Amino acid sequence: MEKSFVTTAAIGAAAGALIGAGAAVLVATQKGEQIRHTVLDAAEALREVGPQVNEQGHALAEKSQEVTGVVKETLGAVKELKEDTVSAARDVKSNVQDSMRTSGTGDKPTDGSAGSM
């Protein structure tokens, strides 16, 4: 997550709160003085909580970048392990085929059974 996204989200949340408070003023059935106190209380709460939200947003963005880095490293290691496993399986298959060719057994079983390898 980019810092600009977190900042935009925090600004959006603040704007949404203010718009919501304004809409509440327009449709409320309370007296004007009560509405003003409600809006002022909401604005004050937003001022108090805003810096904490911003700080937590930045911390979340940093953690997100850390997690992304770990996931990318893990994915790279898994891909490398897959490639090594496929290569080792090919080597084993080739060695078994070479061994069968050089021993002269081909598809004939050496243990007296009627099956094939």
XYZ file of all heavy atoms in Angstrom:
829
model
N 0.834 -1.166 0.000
C 0.000 0.000 0.000
C 0.881 1.233 0.000
O 1.852 1.295 0.720
C -0.872 -0.002 1.248
C -2.330 0.003 0.921
S -3.376 0.317 2.329
C -3.265 -1.184 3.210
N 0.526 2.215 -0.774
C 1.315 3.427 -0.830
C 0.853 4.393 0.243
O -0.286 4.357 0.697
C 1.173 4.070 -2.200
C 1.753 3.205 -3.313
C 1.621 3.885 -4.664
O 1.413 5.103 -4.706
O 1.722 3.181 -5.661
N 1.759 5.291 0.641
C 1.415 6.280 1.656
C 0.305 7.198 1.165
O -0.535 7.624 1.936
C 2.647 7.094 2.036
C 3.652 6.291 2.829
C 4.819 7.141 3.248
C 5.805 6.307 4.031
N 6.937 7.083 4.489
N 0.307 7.486 -0.138
C -0.720 8.367 -0.671
C -2.095 7.740 -0.533
O -3.082 8.441 -0.292
C -0.436 8.711 -2.133
O -0.466 7.536 -2.918
N -2.187 6.414 -0.635
C -3.475 5.732 -0.463
C -3.959 5.885 0.970
O -5.122 6.168 1.217
C -3.362 4.248 -0.819
C -4.604 3.477 -0.495
C -5.716 3.567 -1.305
C -4.664 2.685 0.642
C -6.865 2.869 -0.998
C -5.803 1.988 0.958
C -6.919 2.083 0.133
N -3.044 5.708 1.927
C -3.415 5.822 3.336
C -3.854 7.248 3.643
O -4.865 7.469 4.316
C -2.236 5.402 4.237
C -2.549 5.652 5.695
C -1.897 3.944 4.011
N -3.103 8.201 3.130
C -3.463 9.601 3.353
C -4.814 9.905 2.730
O -5.666 10.552 3.353
C -2.388 10.526 2.747
O -1.129 10.192 3.333
C -2.703 11.980 3.004
N -5.022 9.436 1.512
C -6.298 9.655 0.836
C -7.437 9.001 1.602
O -8.519 9.579 1.742
C -6.242 9.095 -0.603
O -5.161 9.717 -1.284
C -7.535 9.348 -1.348
N -7.204 7.800 2.126
C -8.235 7.104 2.889
C -8.570 7.869 4.161
O -9.749 7.993 4.533
C -7.781 5.686 3.217
N -7.553 8.392 4.852
C -7.785 9.152 6.076
C -8.555 10.437 5.775
O -9.497 10.799 6.492
C -6.459 9.468 6.762
N -8.170 11.106 4.696
C -8.878 12.322 4.300
C -10.315 11.992 3.915
O -11.254 12.702 4.273
C -8.142 13.037 3.147
C -6.808 13.603 3.657
C -8.996 14.131 2.533
C -5.902 14.128 2.573
N -10.485 10.882 3.207
C -11.832 10.455 2.824
C -12.698 10.147 4.034
O -13.878 10.490 4.072
N -12.099 9.488 5.037
C -12.846 9.173 6.255
C -13.255 10.455 6.984
O -14.386 10.585 7.455
C -12.018 8.278 7.168
N -12.332 11.407 7.059
C -12.631 12.669 7.722
C -13.715 13.435 6.963
O -14.662 13.964 7.559
C -11.368 13.520 7.833
N -13.579 13.470 5.655
C -14.580 14.172 4.844
C -15.936 13.491 4.982
O -16.982 14.165 5.088
C -14.139 14.199 3.387
N -15.930 12.164 5.000
C -17.184 11.427 5.161
C -17.850 11.728 6.483
O -19.074 11.875 6.563
N -17.034 11.832 7.534
C -17.587 12.156 8.850
C -18.210 13.547 8.855
O -19.294 13.758 9.403
C -16.503 12.047 9.916
N -17.508 14.483 8.239
C -18.042 15.853 8.195
C -19.307 15.943 7.333
O -20.263 16.623 7.685
C -16.973 16.818 7.679
C -15.796 17.036 8.629
C -14.739 17.926 7.974
C -16.260 17.642 9.935
N -19.302 15.254 6.216
C -20.494 15.249 5.351
C -21.658 14.599 6.082
O -22.792 15.079 6.030
C -20.190 14.536 4.017
C -19.225 15.392 3.185
C -21.473 14.259 3.241
C -18.670 14.692 1.962
N -21.355 13.507 6.785
C -22.399 12.839 7.567
C -22.965 13.753 8.644
O -24.176 13.790 8.872
N -22.083 14.485 9.303
C -22.536 15.430 10.332
C -23.391 16.520 9.705
O -24.429 16.925 10.255
C -21.341 16.032 11.057
N -22.974 16.987 8.537
C -23.770 18.022 7.841
C -25.129 17.496 7.428
O -26.153 18.191 7.571
N -25.176 16.271 6.942
C -26.459 15.679 6.561
C -27.341 15.500 7.786
O -28.562 15.723 7.727
C -26.226 14.332 5.876
N -26.728 15.131 8.903
C -27.498 14.969 10.137
C -28.127 16.294 10.557
O -29.258 16.332 11.035
C -26.605 14.425 11.244
N -27.395 17.381 10.351
C -27.931 18.711 10.689
C -29.150 19.024 9.828
O -30.153 19.555 10.311
C -26.841 19.794 10.506
C -27.427 21.187 10.577
C -25.750 19.615 11.551
N -29.071 18.678 8.566
C -30.166 19.005 7.647
C -31.437 18.210 7.921
O -32.546 18.716 7.735
C -29.716 18.773 6.203
C -28.609 19.701 5.706
C -28.186 19.291 4.298
C -29.072 21.157 5.716
N -31.310 16.971 8.341
C -32.501 16.130 8.495
C -32.899 15.918 9.954
O -33.881 15.239 10.225
C -32.294 14.750 7.821
C -32.086 14.911 6.334
C -31.151 14.000 8.454
N -32.174 16.495 10.866
C -32.440 16.268 12.282
C -33.700 17.002 12.740
O -34.071 18.042 12.215
C -31.251 16.729 13.110
N -34.313 16.423 13.762
C -35.499 17.058 14.348
C -35.150 17.725 15.671
O -36.038 18.213 16.368
C -36.587 15.990 14.592
O -36.063 14.982 15.434
C -37.045 15.396 13.279
N -33.858 17.785 15.987
C -33.430 18.422 17.231
C -33.404 19.937 17.068
O -33.432 20.466 15.954
C -32.023 17.947 17.610
C -31.899 16.468 17.881
C -30.452 16.077 18.137
O -29.541 16.846 17.856
N -30.268 14.876 18.664
N -33.285 20.614 18.179
C -33.152 22.066 18.157
C -31.773 22.426 17.615
O -30.834 21.653 17.701
C -33.298 22.636 19.570
C -34.682 22.476 20.153
C -34.721 23.120 21.515
C -36.089 22.940 22.136
N -36.163 23.538 23.478
N -31.672 23.604 17.073
C -30.422 24.072 16.465
C -29.238 24.016 17.407
O -28.136 23.624 17.023
N -29.438 24.403 18.651
C -28.343 24.415 19.615
C -27.851 22.981 19.894
O -26.647 22.738 19.963
C -28.794 25.078 20.920
C -27.651 25.253 21.907
C -28.070 26.052 23.123
O -28.944 26.923 23.014
O -27.485 25.780 24.183
N -28.778 22.061 20.008
C -28.399 20.666 20.242
C -27.613 20.125 19.041
O -26.618 19.404 19.196
C -29.638 19.801 20.468
C -30.322 20.045 21.793
C -31.613 19.255 21.907
O -32.297 19.030 20.910
N -31.953 18.856 23.129
N -28.072 20.483 17.862
C -27.391 20.024 16.643
C -25.983 20.588 16.587
O -25.026 19.872 16.263
C -28.198 20.422 15.390
C -29.511 19.637 15.356
C -27.397 20.153 14.123
C -30.468 20.080 14.283
N -25.831 21.873 16.907
C -24.504 22.489 16.886
C -23.566 21.775 17.857
O -22.405 21.505 17.547
C -24.588 23.979 17.226
C -25.023 24.835 16.048
C -24.811 26.325 16.343
N -25.629 26.804 17.461
C -26.892 27.186 17.360
N -27.497 27.168 16.193
N -27.561 27.605 18.423
N -24.047 21.459 19.039
C -23.218 20.747 20.020
C -22.834 19.362 19.511
O -21.686 18.932 19.666
C -23.943 20.638 21.373
C -23.980 21.915 22.129
N -22.848 22.523 22.630
C -25.014 22.716 22.477
C -23.178 23.643 23.254
N -24.507 23.790 23.179
N -23.790 18.681 18.887
C -23.517 17.355 18.350
C -22.455 17.427 17.267
O -21.509 16.631 17.241
C -24.803 16.716 17.789
O -25.784 16.658 18.822
C -24.544 15.322 17.255
N -22.597 18.391 16.360
C -21.630 18.544 15.269
C -20.261 18.935 15.818
O -19.237 18.402 15.402
C -22.138 19.583 14.235
C -21.048 19.940 13.241
C -23.364 19.059 13.531
N -20.236 19.858 16.774
C -18.961 20.273 17.356
C -18.291 19.121 18.100
O -17.062 18.957 18.031
C -19.173 21.470 18.290
C -19.522 22.791 17.590
C -19.850 23.885 18.614
C -18.382 23.241 16.698
N -19.081 18.328 18.801
C -18.519 17.162 19.498
C -17.918 16.168 18.500
O -16.835 15.620 18.717
C -19.588 16.469 20.344
C -19.981 17.287 21.573
O -19.241 18.230 21.929
O -21.042 16.967 22.168
N -18.643 15.943 17.407
C -18.149 15.019 16.382
C -16.869 15.550 15.750
O -15.912 14.797 15.519
C -19.213 14.790 15.312
N -16.817 16.834 15.472
C -15.621 17.438 14.875
C -14.442 17.349 15.842
O -13.306 17.057 15.438
C -15.889 18.886 14.490
N -14.693 17.590 17.118
C -13.623 17.499 18.121
C -13.108 16.070 18.237
O -11.895 15.832 18.300
C -14.134 17.984 19.483
C -13.081 17.969 20.568
C -11.903 18.893 20.278
O -12.067 19.920 19.615
O -10.785 18.553 20.728
N -14.016 15.112 18.232
C -13.608 13.704 18.299
C -12.766 13.343 17.082
O -11.766 12.624 17.192
C -14.834 12.806 18.389
N -13.155 13.861 15.938
C -12.402 13.602 14.708
C -11.011 14.217 14.793
O -10.024 13.608 14.384
C -13.164 14.144 13.502
C -12.538 13.899 12.142
C -12.397 12.402 11.889
C -13.383 14.524 11.050
N -10.909 15.409 15.335
C -9.592 16.052 15.500
C -8.698 15.238 16.431
O -7.490 15.155 16.233
C -9.744 17.469 16.050
C -9.966 18.491 14.974
C -9.882 19.916 15.536
N -11.039 20.610 15.027
C -12.023 21.133 15.731
N -11.979 21.086 17.043
N -13.036 21.710 15.168
N -9.287 14.660 17.467
C -8.507 13.883 18.420
C -8.064 12.540 17.822
O -6.951 12.101 18.048
C -9.321 13.630 19.692
C -9.555 14.886 20.522
C -10.469 14.639 21.711
O -10.823 13.469 21.972
O -10.841 15.629 22.369
N -8.941 11.909 17.083
C -8.673 10.579 16.559
C -7.894 10.632 15.242
O -7.155 9.702 14.917
C -10.004 9.808 16.369
C -9.775 8.465 15.714
C -10.674 9.616 17.713
N -8.007 11.699 14.503
C -7.377 11.826 13.183
C -5.895 11.497 13.164
O -5.448 10.675 12.355
N -5.083 12.087 14.048
C -3.648 11.762 14.041
C -3.369 10.283 14.338
O -2.464 9.699 13.752
C -3.072 12.657 15.140
C -4.024 13.804 15.229
C -5.374 13.205 14.942
N -4.164 9.700 15.234
C -3.975 8.277 15.538
C -4.298 7.424 14.311
O -3.593 6.470 14.005
C -4.872 7.854 16.702
C -4.471 8.464 18.029
C -5.482 8.164 19.117
O -6.615 7.776 18.846
N -5.074 8.340 20.363
N -5.368 7.773 13.619
C -5.743 7.032 12.412
C -4.639 7.162 11.364
O -4.263 6.176 10.728
C -7.097 7.531 11.851
C -7.366 6.958 10.471
C -8.221 7.187 12.807
N -4.119 8.358 11.210
C -3.045 8.594 10.243
C -1.805 7.785 10.615
O -1.185 7.138 9.756
C -2.720 10.089 10.192
C -1.823 10.432 9.031
O -1.812 9.759 8.012
N -1.048 11.497 9.188
N -1.441 7.782 11.891
C -0.266 7.036 12.351
C -0.460 5.539 12.139
O 0.444 4.850 11.658
C -0.035 7.321 13.831
C 1.213 6.690 14.403
C 1.413 7.059 15.862
O 1.289 8.249 16.207
O 1.703 6.135 16.645
N -1.633 5.045 12.471
C -1.917 3.624 12.281
C -1.928 3.270 10.799
O -1.505 2.186 10.410
C -3.245 3.250 12.932
C -3.171 3.266 14.445
C -4.514 3.023 15.103
O -5.542 3.031 14.462
N -4.488 2.798 16.411
N -2.401 4.179 9.972
C -2.387 3.953 8.529
C -0.970 3.822 7.995
O -0.679 2.949 7.178
N -0.081 4.685 8.490
C 1.327 4.604 8.069
C 1.970 3.306 8.557
O 2.730 2.672 7.825
C 2.116 5.806 8.589
C 1.803 7.087 7.872
N 2.101 7.300 6.539
C 1.192 8.219 8.293
C 1.706 8.497 6.177
N 1.142 9.075 7.225
N 1.674 2.920 9.794
C 2.214 1.660 10.331
C 1.700 0.476 9.514
O 2.454 -0.453 9.201
C 1.832 1.500 11.794
N 0.428 0.522 9.152
C -0.156 -0.546 8.341
C 0.505 -0.609 6.968
O 0.789 -1.693 6.455
C -1.662 -0.333 8.196
C -2.434 -1.365 7.392
C -2.304 -2.740 8.035
C -3.893 -0.972 7.289
N 0.782 0.549 6.384
C 1.446 0.583 5.080
C 2.847 -0.027 5.170
O 3.267 -0.778 4.287
C 1.527 2.018 4.565
N 3.571 0.277 6.236
C 4.914 -0.285 6.410
C 4.856 -1.801 6.578
O 5.636 -2.534 5.969
C 5.595 0.348 7.623
C 6.006 1.793 7.408
C 6.601 2.431 8.656
O 6.976 1.696 9.598
O 6.687 3.664 8.689
N 3.920 -2.274 7.399
C 3.772 -3.721 7.596
C 3.397 -4.395 6.283
O 3.871 -5.489 5.972
C 2.698 -4.025 8.657
C 3.132 -3.737 10.053
C 4.187 -4.705 10.503
C 4.576 -4.440 11.930
N 5.728 -5.232 12.348
N 2.544 -3.749 5.525
C 2.132 -4.296 4.235
C 3.328 -4.460 3.312
O 3.460 -5.478 2.628
C 1.086 -3.383 3.597
O 0.812 -3.778 2.285
N 4.213 -3.491 3.298
C 5.411 -3.583 2.469
C 6.332 -4.703 2.957
O 6.922 -5.429 2.151
C 6.150 -2.245 2.452
C 5.408 -1.175 1.668
C 6.073 0.183 1.749
O 6.985 0.395 2.531
N 5.611 1.117 0.938
N 6.438 -4.864 4.279
C 7.255 -5.944 4.826
C 6.697 -7.302 4.418
O 7.432 -8.191 3.993
C 7.308 -5.851 6.351
C 8.123 -4.699 6.886
C 8.047 -4.599 8.401
O 7.783 -5.624 9.072
O 8.260 -3.488 8.921
N 5.383 -7.452 4.565
C 4.734 -8.718 4.220
C 4.896 -9.003 2.732
O 5.176 -10.132 2.331
C 3.248 -8.703 4.631
C 2.493 -9.888 4.044
C 3.120 -8.700 6.145
N 4.747 -7.974 1.911
C 4.921 -8.150 0.467
C 6.331 -8.641 0.157
O 6.515 -9.548 -0.661
C 4.638 -6.821 -0.271
O 3.288 -6.428 -0.012
C 4.845 -6.955 -1.761
N 7.326 -8.084 0.815
C 8.705 -8.517 0.605
C 8.904 -9.971 1.006
O 9.535 -10.745 0.273
N 8.349 -10.358 2.143
C 8.490 -11.742 2.603
C 7.788 -12.699 1.639
O 8.312 -13.758 1.302
C 7.925 -11.899 4.038
C 7.812 -13.358 4.432
C 8.802 -11.146 5.034
N 6.603 -12.309 1.177
C 5.864 -13.160 0.237
C 6.649 -13.318 -1.065
O 6.743 -14.427 -1.609
C 4.449 -12.590 -0.023
C 3.790 -13.281 -1.202
C 3.590 -12.726 1.219
N 7.232 -12.248 -1.564
C 8.018 -12.333 -2.794
C 9.239 -13.230 -2.607
O 9.562 -14.038 -3.487
C 8.459 -10.935 -3.248
C 7.338 -10.133 -3.863
C 7.815 -8.767 -4.317
C 6.682 -7.969 -4.947
N 7.128 -6.641 -5.370
N 9.915 -13.108 -1.466
C 11.072 -13.964 -1.198
C 10.646 -15.425 -1.127
O 11.314 -16.302 -1.677
C 11.730 -13.559 0.123
C 12.497 -12.262 0.064
C 13.075 -11.873 1.417
O 13.274 -12.764 2.270
O 13.343 -10.682 1.617
N 9.550 -15.683 -0.440
C 9.055 -17.052 -0.298
C 8.668 -17.629 -1.649
O 8.983 -18.781 -1.960
C 7.855 -17.089 0.666
O 8.257 -16.525 1.922
C 7.345 -18.497 0.872
N 8.000 -16.842 -2.455
C 7.604 -17.292 -3.785
C 8.833 -17.627 -4.623
O 8.863 -18.642 -5.315
C 6.748 -16.232 -4.477
C 6.204 -16.584 -5.853
C 5.335 -17.833 -5.786
C 5.404 -15.420 -6.418
N 9.855 -16.805 -4.534
C 11.093 -17.077 -5.262
C 11.739 -18.371 -4.799
O 12.194 -19.175 -5.621
N 11.750 -18.600 -3.484
C 12.332 -19.834 -2.957
C 11.527 -21.047 -3.397
O 12.093 -22.091 -3.731
C 12.401 -19.764 -1.431
N 10.207 -20.928 -3.409
C 9.355 -22.044 -3.834
C 9.581 -22.351 -5.312
O 9.680 -23.524 -5.700
C 7.866 -21.738 -3.551
C 6.949 -22.725 -4.242
C 7.600 -21.732 -2.050
N 9.681 -21.321 -6.132
C 9.943 -21.544 -7.559
C 11.289 -22.231 -7.760
O 11.420 -23.145 -8.569
C 9.905 -20.215 -8.321
C 8.517 -19.681 -8.531
C 8.544 -18.382 -9.312
C 7.148 -17.837 -9.550
N 7.173 -16.568 -10.283
N 12.290 -21.788 -7.018
C 13.616 -22.396 -7.128
C 13.574 -23.854 -6.676
O 14.154 -24.736 -7.324
C 14.616 -21.613 -6.274
C 16.041 -22.086 -6.415
C 17.008 -21.226 -5.625
O 16.807 -20.002 -5.543
O 17.974 -21.813 -5.094
N 12.867 -24.132 -5.588
C 12.730 -25.501 -5.104
C 12.014 -26.369 -6.127
O 12.409 -27.518 -6.363
C 11.973 -25.516 -3.773
C 11.758 -26.877 -3.131
C 13.092 -27.540 -2.817
C 10.919 -26.736 -1.877
N 10.986 -25.825 -6.756
C 10.259 -26.572 -7.791
C 11.200 -26.923 -8.943
O 11.217 -28.059 -9.419
C 9.081 -25.763 -8.310
C 8.335 -26.441 -9.439
C 7.315 -25.522 -10.073
C 6.777 -26.156 -11.340
N 6.140 -25.207 -12.200
N 11.973 -25.937 -9.394
C 12.906 -26.177 -10.501
C 13.940 -27.241 -10.119
O 14.245 -28.133 -10.918
C 13.596 -24.874 -10.892
C 12.668 -23.868 -11.546
C 13.285 -22.480 -11.674
O 14.476 -22.304 -11.300
O 12.583 -21.568 -12.142
N 14.456 -27.172 -8.883
C 15.428 -28.160 -8.427
C 14.796 -29.546 -8.363
O 15.434 -30.549 -8.733
C 15.984 -27.778 -7.045
C 16.874 -26.545 -7.095
O 17.257 -26.123 -8.211
O 17.177 -25.993 -6.010
N 13.559 -29.620 -7.895
C 12.866 -30.905 -7.786
C 12.616 -31.510 -9.157
O 12.838 -32.708 -9.374
C 11.532 -30.727 -7.032
O 11.802 -30.157 -5.748
C 10.803 -32.035 -6.858
N 12.161 -30.700 -10.094
C 11.919 -31.184 -11.455
C 13.227 -31.664 -12.079
O 13.283 -32.729 -12.710
C 11.245 -30.083 -12.317
C 11.239 -30.454 -13.789
C 9.832 -29.823 -11.829
N 14.293 -30.912 -11.887
C 15.593 -31.295 -12.432
C 16.077 -32.606 -11.814
O 16.569 -33.492 -12.517
C 16.605 -30.180 -12.167
O 17.873 -30.549 -12.620
N 15.932 -32.741 -10.498
C 16.352 -33.975 -9.828
C 15.529 -35.162 -10.310
O 16.065 -36.257 -10.528
C 16.221 -33.813 -8.318
N 14.229 -34.967 -10.499
C 13.374 -36.054 -10.992
C 13.794 -36.473 -12.392
O 13.833 -37.672 -12.712
C 11.910 -35.617 -10.975
N 14.143 -35.520 -13.239
C 14.609 -35.843 -14.589
C 15.918 -36.633 -14.536
O 16.120 -37.588 -15.278
C 14.797 -34.569 -15.405
C 13.508 -33.969 -15.867
C 13.757 -32.780 -16.782
N 12.505 -32.118 -17.086
C 12.314 -30.814 -17.044
N 13.312 -29.996 -16.732
N 11.141 -30.289 -17.337
N 16.806 -36.201 -13.631
C 18.088 -36.904 -13.478
C 17.870 -38.340 -13.025
O 18.495 -39.270 -13.552
C 18.992 -36.174 -12.483
C 19.510 -34.843 -13.009
O 19.393 -34.593 -14.232
O 20.026 -34.057 -12.187
N 16.995 -38.547 -12.057
C 16.716 -39.901 -11.563
C 16.128 -40.749 -12.672
O 16.529 -41.899 -12.886
C 15.772 -39.857 -10.334
C 15.240 -41.233 -10.006
C 16.493 -39.254 -9.135
N 15.170 -40.178 -13.401
C 14.547 -40.917 -14.505
C 15.600 -41.313 -15.539
O 15.638 -42.455 -16.004
C 13.453 -40.072 -15.153
C 12.755 -40.744 -16.305
C 11.689 -39.841 -16.901
C 11.038 -40.483 -18.107
N 10.044 -39.592 -18.724
N 16.450 -40.376 -15.885
C 17.499 -40.645 -16.872
C 18.463 -41.717 -16.372
O 18.842 -42.621 -17.119
C 18.252 -39.351 -17.174
O 19.303 -39.587 -18.066
N 18.844 -41.637 -15.093
C 19.753 -42.630 -14.522
C 19.123 -44.024 -14.522
O 19.790 -45.009 -14.823
C 20.161 -42.244 -13.103
C 21.108 -41.064 -13.071
O 21.730 -40.744 -14.084
N 21.209 -40.424 -11.924
N 17.851 -44.108 -14.189
C 17.157 -45.400 -14.192
C 17.103 -45.957 -15.610
O 17.383 -47.146 -15.836
C 15.740 -45.273 -13.586
C 14.913 -46.521 -13.851
C 15.836 -44.988 -12.094
N 16.779 -45.117 -16.569
C 16.714 -45.577 -17.963
C 18.089 -46.029 -18.451
O 18.212 -47.059 -19.120
C 16.144 -44.477 -18.859
C 14.667 -44.233 -18.641
C 14.146 -43.018 -19.407
O 14.918 -42.163 -19.843
N 12.835 -42.949 -19.558
N 19.117 -45.260 -18.121
C 20.479 -45.642 -18.516
C 20.881 -46.969 -17.866
O 21.482 -47.836 -18.505
C 21.487 -44.553 -18.121
C 21.377 -43.311 -18.977
O 20.701 -43.366 -20.032
O 21.952 -42.272 -18.575
N 20.539 -47.117 -16.607
C 20.869 -48.337 -15.884
C 20.170 -49.539 -16.495
O 20.764 -50.614 -16.637
C 20.467 -48.184 -14.421
O 20.676 -49.385 -13.729
N 18.934 -49.357 -16.900
C 18.184 -50.450 -17.508
C 18.786 -50.817 -18.861
O 18.871 -51.994 -19.218
C 16.710 -50.079 -17.649
C 15.981 -50.031 -16.317
S 14.291 -49.456 -16.449
C 13.570 -50.807 -17.376
N 19.224 -49.818 -19.626
C 19.808 -50.074 -20.932
C 21.151 -50.799 -20.804
O 21.442 -51.725 -21.539
C 19.998 -48.770 -21.693
C 18.787 -48.384 -22.497
C 19.080 -47.190 -23.409
N 18.055 -46.199 -23.084
C 18.269 -45.005 -22.550
N 19.477 -44.596 -22.324
N 17.274 -44.210 -22.274
N 21.965 -50.345 -19.879
C 23.298 -50.928 -19.752
C 23.265 -52.305 -19.102
O 24.148 -53.127 -19.352
C 24.231 -50.011 -18.936
O 23.662 -49.796 -17.652
C 24.457 -48.706 -19.650
N 22.268 -52.596 -18.301
C 22.207 -53.919 -17.676
C 21.585 -54.937 -18.620
O 21.596 -56.124 -18.351
C 21.410 -53.864 -16.370
O 20.050 -53.604 -16.645
N 21.015 -54.477 -19.699
C 20.441 -55.364 -20.696
C 19.089 -55.927 -20.303
O 18.605 -56.846 -20.939
N 18.476 -55.388 -19.286
C 17.188 -55.937 -18.867
C 16.047 -55.401 -19.694
O 15.053 -56.079 -19.898
C 16.911 -55.634 -17.383
O 16.930 -54.230 -17.189
C 17.916 -56.328 -16.510
N 16.156 -54.170 -20.148
C 15.079 -53.576 -20.939
C 13.782 -53.625 -20.181
O 13.702 -53.205 -19.049
N 12.763 -54.261 -20.780
C 11.473 -54.381 -20.126
C 11.289 -55.720 -19.443
O 10.235 -56.024 -18.926
C 10.329 -54.191 -21.150
C 10.235 -52.744 -21.600
O 10.612 -51.869 -20.805
O 9.789 -52.508 -22.734
N 12.324 -56.590 -19.462
C 12.193 -57.921 -18.876
C 12.493 -57.854 -17.387
O 13.527 -57.318 -16.987
C 13.168 -58.890 -19.548
C 12.901 -59.082 -21.014
C 13.950 -59.972 -21.613
C 13.785 -60.055 -23.126
N 14.889 -60.783 -23.723
N 11.619 -58.407 -16.555
C 11.900 -58.385 -15.115
C 13.014 -59.375 -14.778
O 13.159 -60.411 -15.417
C 10.577 -58.831 -14.499
C 9.836 -59.516 -15.589
C 10.323 -58.929 -16.880
N 13.830 -59.044 -13.777
C 14.946 -59.881 -13.377
C 14.617 -60.728 -12.158
O 15.400 -61.577 -11.765
C 16.187 -59.036 -13.083
O 15.850 -58.104 -12.071
C 16.660 -58.329 -14.325
N 13.451 -60.505 -11.555
C 13.120 -61.237 -10.339
C 12.184 -62.408 -10.577
O 11.657 -63.005 -9.650
C 12.509 -60.293 -9.312
C 11.207 -59.687 -9.791
O 10.784 -59.968 -10.921
O 10.594 -58.929 -9.002
N 11.918 -62.727 -11.813
C 11.049 -63.842 -12.140
C 9.586 -63.473 -12.231
O 8.757 -64.312 -12.561
N 9.217 -62.223 -11.943
C 7.821 -61.838 -12.033
C 7.459 -61.535 -13.466
O 8.323 -61.363 -14.320
C 7.550 -60.608 -11.168
O 8.248 -59.497 -11.673
N 6.182 -61.433 -13.740
C 5.718 -61.220 -15.114
C 5.484 -59.736 -15.375
O 5.156 -59.350 -16.487
C 4.453 -62.009 -15.376
N 5.612 -58.877 -14.389
C 5.303 -57.445 -14.547
C 6.463 -56.685 -15.133
O 7.530 -57.212 -15.386
N 6.236 -55.375 -15.372
C 7.298 -54.508 -15.873
C 7.537 -53.392 -14.878
O 6.730 -53.131 -13.995
C 6.930 -53.926 -17.243
O 5.793 -53.116 -17.129
N 8.613 -52.655 -15.002
C 8.971 -51.585 -14.089
C 8.169 -50.367 -14.317
O 7.834 -49.773 -15.119
C 10.440 -51.227 -14.203
C 11.308 -52.281 -13.620
S 12.975 -51.664 -13.628
C 13.464 -52.099 -12.013
